mmCIF file of all heavy atoms in Angstrom:
data_model
loop_
_atom_site.group_PDB
_atom_site.id
_atom_site.type_symbol
_atom_site.label_atom_id
_atom_site.label_comp_id
_atom_site.label_asym_id
_atom_site.label_seq_id
_atom_site.Cartn_x
_atom_site.Cartn_y
_atom_site.Cartn_z
ATOM 1 N N LEU V 449 0.860 -1.151 -0.004
ATOM 2 C CA LEU V 449 0.014 0.010 0.013
ATOM 3 C C LEU V 449 0.954 1.236 -0.008
ATOM 4 O O LEU V 449 1.859 1.287 0.736
ATOM 5 C CB LEU V 449 -0.866 -0.071 1.213
ATOM 6 C CG LEU V 449 -1.980 -1.156 1.307
ATOM 7 C CD1 LEU V 449 -2.671 -1.069 2.581
ATOM 8 C CD2 LEU V 449 -2.946 -0.935 0.158
ATOM 9 N N GLY V 450 0.604 2.153 -0.843
ATOM 10 C CA GLY V 450 1.396 3.388 -0.883
ATOM 11 C C GLY V 450 1.159 4.138 -2.049
ATOM 12 O O GLY V 450 0.816 3.617 -3.083
ATOM 13 N N SER V 451 1.423 5.464 -1.969
ATOM 14 C CA SER V 451 1.313 6.316 -3.192
ATOM 15 C C SER V 451 1.898 7.680 -2.820
ATOM 16 O O SER V 451 1.619 8.234 -1.790
ATOM 17 C CB SER V 451 -0.150 6.456 -3.538
ATOM 18 O OG SER V 451 -0.329 7.576 -4.493
ATOM 19 N N LYS V 452 2.848 8.090 -3.705
ATOM 20 C CA LYS V 452 3.412 9.496 -3.555
ATOM 21 C C LYS V 452 2.293 10.513 -3.657
ATOM 22 O O LYS V 452 2.254 11.446 -2.892
ATOM 23 C CB LYS V 452 4.480 9.753 -4.573
ATOM 24 C CG LYS V 452 5.132 11.113 -4.372
ATOM 25 C CD LYS V 452 6.062 11.127 -3.269
ATOM 26 C CE LYS V 452 6.843 12.433 -3.228
ATOM 27 N NZ LYS V 452 7.628 12.535 -1.993
ATOM 28 N N ALA V 453 1.405 10.413 -4.573
ATOM 29 C CA ALA V 453 0.318 11.393 -4.856
ATOM 30 C C ALA V 453 -0.651 11.441 -3.654
ATOM 31 O O ALA V 453 -1.177 12.558 -3.374
ATOM 32 C CB ALA V 453 -0.430 11.073 -6.140
ATOM 33 N N LEU V 454 -0.678 10.326 -3.008
ATOM 34 C CA LEU V 454 -1.766 10.276 -1.854
ATOM 35 C C LEU V 454 -1.088 10.518 -0.527
ATOM 36 O O LEU V 454 -1.733 10.294 0.524
ATOM 37 C CB LEU V 454 -2.377 8.861 -1.882
ATOM 38 C CG LEU V 454 -3.120 8.428 -3.218
ATOM 39 C CD1 LEU V 454 -3.754 7.066 -2.969
ATOM 40 C CD2 LEU V 454 -4.257 9.573 -3.486
ATOM 41 N N SER V 455 0.292 10.852 -0.479
ATOM 42 C CA SER V 455 0.945 11.040 0.811
ATOM 43 C C SER V 455 0.852 9.785 1.707
ATOM 44 O O SER V 455 0.747 9.873 2.872
ATOM 45 C CB SER V 455 0.412 12.220 1.520
ATOM 46 O OG SER V 455 0.563 13.423 0.870
ATOM 47 N N ILE V 456 0.992 8.626 0.992
ATOM 48 C CA ILE V 456 1.008 7.357 1.800
ATOM 49 C C ILE V 456 2.341 6.670 1.532
ATOM 50 O O ILE V 456 2.582 5.988 0.411
ATOM 51 C CB ILE V 456 -0.103 6.411 1.362
ATOM 52 C CG1 ILE V 456 -1.537 7.164 1.507
ATOM 53 C CG2 ILE V 456 -0.030 5.122 2.100
ATOM 54 C CD1 ILE V 456 -2.611 6.248 0.932
ATOM 55 N N PRO V 457 3.340 6.827 2.348
ATOM 56 C CA PRO V 457 4.604 6.097 2.194
ATOM 57 C C PRO V 457 4.324 4.559 2.208
ATOM 58 O O PRO V 457 3.399 4.050 2.768
ATOM 59 C CB PRO V 457 5.338 6.449 3.397
ATOM 60 C CG PRO V 457 4.811 7.742 3.965
ATOM 61 C CD PRO V 457 3.339 7.596 3.602
ATOM 62 N N PRO V 458 5.078 3.887 1.473
ATOM 63 C CA PRO V 458 4.785 2.354 1.278
ATOM 64 C C PRO V 458 4.981 1.505 2.589
ATOM 65 O O PRO V 458 5.907 1.723 3.278
ATOM 66 C CB PRO V 458 5.833 1.971 0.214
ATOM 67 C CG PRO V 458 6.961 2.883 0.327
ATOM 68 C CD PRO V 458 6.306 4.216 0.748
ATOM 69 N N GLN V 459 4.024 0.736 2.757
ATOM 70 C CA GLN V 459 4.135 -0.212 3.889
ATOM 71 C C GLN V 459 3.737 -1.596 3.382
ATOM 72 O O GLN V 459 2.759 -1.714 2.744
ATOM 73 C CB GLN V 459 3.188 0.130 4.932
ATOM 74 C CG GLN V 459 3.587 1.428 5.804
ATOM 75 C CD GLN V 459 4.925 1.370 6.414
ATOM 76 O OE1 GLN V 459 5.734 2.292 6.423
ATOM 77 N NE2 GLN V 459 5.276 0.193 6.973
ATOM 78 N N THR V 460 4.464 -2.683 3.766
ATOM 79 C CA THR V 460 4.000 -4.050 3.410
ATOM 80 C C THR V 460 3.591 -4.721 4.745
ATOM 81 O O THR V 460 3.034 -4.028 5.597
ATOM 82 C CB THR V 460 5.166 -4.779 2.708
ATOM 83 O OG1 THR V 460 4.830 -6.057 2.496
ATOM 84 C CG2 THR V 460 6.555 -4.718 3.495
ATOM 85 N N SER V 461 3.883 -6.025 4.938
ATOM 86 C CA SER V 461 3.296 -6.624 6.150
ATOM 87 C C SER V 461 4.171 -6.386 7.396
ATOM 88 O O SER V 461 4.691 -7.172 7.947
ATOM 89 C CB SER V 461 3.268 -8.102 5.869
ATOM 90 O OG SER V 461 3.719 -8.493 4.620
ATOM 91 N N THR V 462 4.234 -5.083 7.718
ATOM 92 C CA THR V 462 4.908 -4.626 8.851
ATOM 93 C C THR V 462 4.232 -5.061 10.195
ATOM 94 O O THR V 462 2.975 -5.003 10.143
ATOM 95 C CB THR V 462 5.258 -3.092 8.903
ATOM 96 O OG1 THR V 462 3.977 -2.509 8.585
ATOM 97 C CG2 THR V 462 6.175 -2.795 7.797
ATOM 98 N N ILE V 463 4.952 -5.324 11.148
ATOM 99 C CA ILE V 463 4.271 -5.583 12.498
ATOM 100 C C ILE V 463 4.749 -4.378 13.363
ATOM 101 O O ILE V 463 5.722 -4.473 14.112
ATOM 102 C CB ILE V 463 4.684 -6.906 13.132
ATOM 103 C CG1 ILE V 463 4.339 -8.102 12.086
ATOM 104 C CG2 ILE V 463 3.965 -7.072 14.476
ATOM 105 C CD1 ILE V 463 2.829 -8.122 11.770
ATOM 106 N N ALA V 464 4.118 -3.260 13.279
ATOM 107 C CA ALA V 464 4.338 -2.180 14.170
ATOM 108 C C ALA V 464 5.636 -1.315 13.858
ATOM 109 O O ALA V 464 5.748 -0.306 14.481
ATOM 110 C CB ALA V 464 4.227 -2.500 15.676
ATOM 111 N N SER V 465 6.338 -1.743 12.948
ATOM 112 C CA SER V 465 7.652 -1.020 12.833
ATOM 113 C C SER V 465 7.494 0.302 12.186
ATOM 114 O O SER V 465 8.388 1.082 12.261
ATOM 115 C CB SER V 465 8.607 -1.865 11.939
ATOM 116 O OG SER V 465 8.132 -2.036 10.636
ATOM 117 N N HIS V 466 6.239 0.618 11.676
ATOM 118 C CA HIS V 466 6.069 1.989 11.108
ATOM 119 C C HIS V 466 5.577 2.992 12.148
ATOM 120 O O HIS V 466 5.589 4.181 11.775
ATOM 121 C CB HIS V 466 5.040 1.867 10.051
ATOM 122 C CG HIS V 466 3.743 1.256 10.351
ATOM 123 N ND1 HIS V 466 3.576 0.106 10.935
ATOM 124 C CD2 HIS V 466 2.564 1.735 10.304
ATOM 125 C CE1 HIS V 466 2.301 -0.218 11.178
ATOM 126 N NE2 HIS V 466 1.552 0.800 10.710
ATOM 127 N N LEU V 467 5.325 2.631 13.414
ATOM 128 C CA LEU V 467 4.844 3.442 14.384
ATOM 129 C C LEU V 467 5.834 4.489 14.808
ATOM 130 O O LEU V 467 5.593 5.647 14.890
ATOM 131 C CB LEU V 467 4.171 2.708 15.566
ATOM 132 C CG LEU V 467 2.729 2.386 15.542
ATOM 133 C CD1 LEU V 467 2.524 1.280 14.557
ATOM 134 C CD2 LEU V 467 2.207 2.058 16.943
ATOM 135 N N PRO V 468 7.091 4.084 15.065
ATOM 136 C CA PRO V 468 8.097 5.073 15.486
ATOM 137 C C PRO V 468 8.228 6.177 14.371
ATOM 138 O O PRO V 468 8.370 7.490 14.821
ATOM 139 C CB PRO V 468 9.434 4.271 15.760
ATOM 140 C CG PRO V 468 8.893 2.909 16.031
ATOM 141 C CD PRO V 468 7.682 2.706 15.182
ATOM 142 N N LYS V 469 8.241 6.010 13.146
ATOM 143 C CA LYS V 469 8.570 6.988 12.269
ATOM 144 C C LYS V 469 7.279 7.838 12.052
ATOM 145 O O LYS V 469 7.496 9.072 11.680
ATOM 146 C CB LYS V 469 8.937 6.385 10.829
ATOM 147 C CG LYS V 469 8.009 5.591 10.149
ATOM 148 C CD LYS V 469 8.519 4.959 8.829
ATOM 149 C CE LYS V 469 7.619 4.158 8.001
ATOM 150 N NZ LYS V 469 8.262 3.690 6.834
ATOM 151 N N ALA V 470 6.135 7.257 12.357
ATOM 152 C CA ALA V 470 4.909 8.179 12.387
ATOM 153 C C ALA V 470 4.951 9.115 13.431
ATOM 154 O O ALA V 470 4.682 10.355 13.194
ATOM 155 C CB ALA V 470 3.645 7.326 12.491
ATOM 156 N N VAL V 471 5.553 8.820 14.595
ATOM 157 C CA VAL V 471 5.785 9.727 15.663
ATOM 158 C C VAL V 471 6.776 10.860 15.286
ATOM 159 O O VAL V 471 6.616 12.002 15.400
ATOM 160 C CB VAL V 471 6.366 9.017 16.969
ATOM 161 C CG1 VAL V 471 6.704 10.000 18.044
ATOM 162 C CG2 VAL V 471 5.342 7.979 17.445
ATOM 163 N N GLY V 472 7.847 10.443 14.548
ATOM 164 C CA GLY V 472 8.825 11.419 14.034
ATOM 165 C C GLY V 472 8.275 12.367 13.108
ATOM 166 O O GLY V 472 8.544 13.515 13.115
ATOM 167 N N ALA V 473 7.457 11.881 12.161
ATOM 168 C CA ALA V 473 6.846 12.763 11.121
ATOM 169 C C ALA V 473 5.883 13.722 11.754
ATOM 170 O O ALA V 473 5.844 14.878 11.391
ATOM 171 C CB ALA V 473 6.084 11.928 10.088
ATOM 172 N N ALA V 474 5.106 13.211 12.793
ATOM 173 C CA ALA V 474 4.240 14.133 13.471
ATOM 174 C C ALA V 474 4.956 15.157 14.238
ATOM 175 O O ALA V 474 4.569 16.332 14.247
ATOM 176 C CB ALA V 474 3.330 13.343 14.402
ATOM 177 N N TYR V 475 6.019 14.824 14.887
ATOM 178 C CA TYR V 475 6.908 15.787 15.665
ATOM 179 C C TYR V 475 7.397 16.824 14.666
ATOM 180 O O TYR V 475 7.551 18.008 14.962
ATOM 181 C CB TYR V 475 8.080 15.086 16.349
ATOM 182 C CG TYR V 475 8.976 15.955 17.164
ATOM 183 C CD1 TYR V 475 8.585 16.310 18.486
ATOM 184 C CD2 TYR V 475 10.086 16.441 16.558
ATOM 185 C CE1 TYR V 475 9.498 17.157 19.172
ATOM 186 C CE2 TYR V 475 10.875 17.357 17.304
ATOM 187 C CZ TYR V 475 10.595 17.673 18.532
ATOM 188 O OH TYR V 475 11.402 18.505 19.183
ATOM 189 N N SER V 476 7.761 16.455 13.511
ATOM 190 C CA SER V 476 8.447 17.363 12.543
ATOM 191 C C SER V 476 7.526 18.569 12.071
ATOM 192 O O SER V 476 7.935 19.584 11.789
ATOM 193 C CB SER V 476 8.926 16.616 11.295
ATOM 194 O OG SER V 476 7.858 16.244 10.418
ATOM 195 N N ILE V 477 6.215 18.311 12.179
ATOM 196 C CA ILE V 477 5.193 19.366 11.767
ATOM 197 C C ILE V 477 5.331 20.539 12.581
ATOM 198 O O ILE V 477 5.493 21.695 12.092
ATOM 199 C CB ILE V 477 3.841 18.822 11.720
ATOM 200 C CG1 ILE V 477 3.668 17.686 10.660
ATOM 201 C CG2 ILE V 477 2.799 19.863 11.528
ATOM 202 C CD1 ILE V 477 2.264 16.999 10.723
ATOM 203 N N GLY V 478 5.413 20.379 13.908
ATOM 204 C CA GLY V 478 5.548 21.445 14.873
ATOM 205 C C GLY V 478 7.010 22.179 14.728
ATOM 206 O O GLY V 478 7.028 23.348 14.672
ATOM 207 N N LEU V 479 7.938 21.318 14.516
ATOM 208 C CA LEU V 479 9.333 21.853 14.426
ATOM 209 C C LEU V 479 9.493 22.680 13.101
ATOM 210 O O LEU V 479 10.167 23.699 13.119
ATOM 211 C CB LEU V 479 10.329 20.639 14.386
ATOM 212 C CG LEU V 479 11.806 21.051 14.391
ATOM 213 C CD1 LEU V 479 12.066 21.990 15.701
ATOM 214 C CD2 LEU V 479 12.633 19.923 14.355
ATOM 215 N N SER V 480 8.716 22.289 12.043
ATOM 216 C CA SER V 480 8.869 23.018 10.759
ATOM 217 C C SER V 480 8.309 24.423 10.830
ATOM 218 O O SER V 480 8.628 25.217 9.987
ATOM 219 C CB SER V 480 8.185 22.218 9.614
ATOM 220 O OG SER V 480 6.745 22.216 9.857
ATOM 221 N N LYS V 481 7.451 24.623 11.783
ATOM 222 C CA LYS V 481 6.948 26.039 11.898
ATOM 223 C C LYS V 481 8.009 27.038 12.366
ATOM 224 O O LYS V 481 8.031 28.139 12.084
ATOM 225 C CB LYS V 481 5.795 26.036 12.962
ATOM 226 C CG LYS V 481 4.607 25.320 12.442
ATOM 227 C CD LYS V 481 3.384 25.324 13.432
ATOM 228 C CE LYS V 481 2.213 24.551 12.999
ATOM 229 N NZ LYS V 481 1.135 24.573 14.055
ATOM 230 N N ARG V 482 9.007 26.517 13.107
ATOM 231 C CA ARG V 482 10.116 27.244 13.700
ATOM 232 C C ARG V 482 11.325 27.145 12.827
ATOM 233 O O ARG V 482 12.252 28.054 12.876
ATOM 234 C CB ARG V 482 10.393 26.811 15.097
ATOM 235 C CG ARG V 482 9.182 26.923 15.974
ATOM 236 C CD ARG V 482 9.464 26.596 17.559
ATOM 237 N NE ARG V 482 9.812 25.204 17.661
ATOM 238 C CZ ARG V 482 8.933 24.239 17.813
ATOM 239 N NH1 ARG V 482 7.626 24.522 17.611
ATOM 240 N NH2 ARG V 482 9.271 23.023 17.941
ATOM 241 N N HIS V 483 11.619 26.004 12.182
ATOM 242 C CA HIS V 483 12.749 25.722 11.394
ATOM 243 C C HIS V 483 12.293 25.097 10.046
ATOM 244 O O HIS V 483 12.380 23.795 10.005
ATOM 245 C CB HIS V 483 13.788 24.926 12.130
ATOM 246 C CG HIS V 483 14.224 25.407 13.474
ATOM 247 N ND1 HIS V 483 15.076 26.370 13.676
ATOM 248 C CD2 HIS V 483 13.692 25.134 14.785
ATOM 249 C CE1 HIS V 483 15.267 26.741 14.952
ATOM 250 N NE2 HIS V 483 14.409 25.959 15.552
#
């Protein structure tokens, strides 16, 4: 599952390994307002 046009980075049969990077992406939104 994934699509650049849909803002969906690709994921296959992961078992929770995508959660930490989701945290990082969310954190970056606030940081991007300042930097």
Side-chain angles (χ1 to χ4, degrees):
L449 293 175
S451 168
K452 182 69 172 178
L454 304 180
S455 297
I456 303 175
Q459 292 298 142
T460 178
S461 359
T462 50
I463 305 300
S465 64
H466 58 306
L467 271 74
K469 65 182 180 181
V471 174
Y475 180 87
S476 76
I477 292 175
L479 186 61
S480 70
K481 296 179 181 179
R482 301 182 296 279
H483 305 279

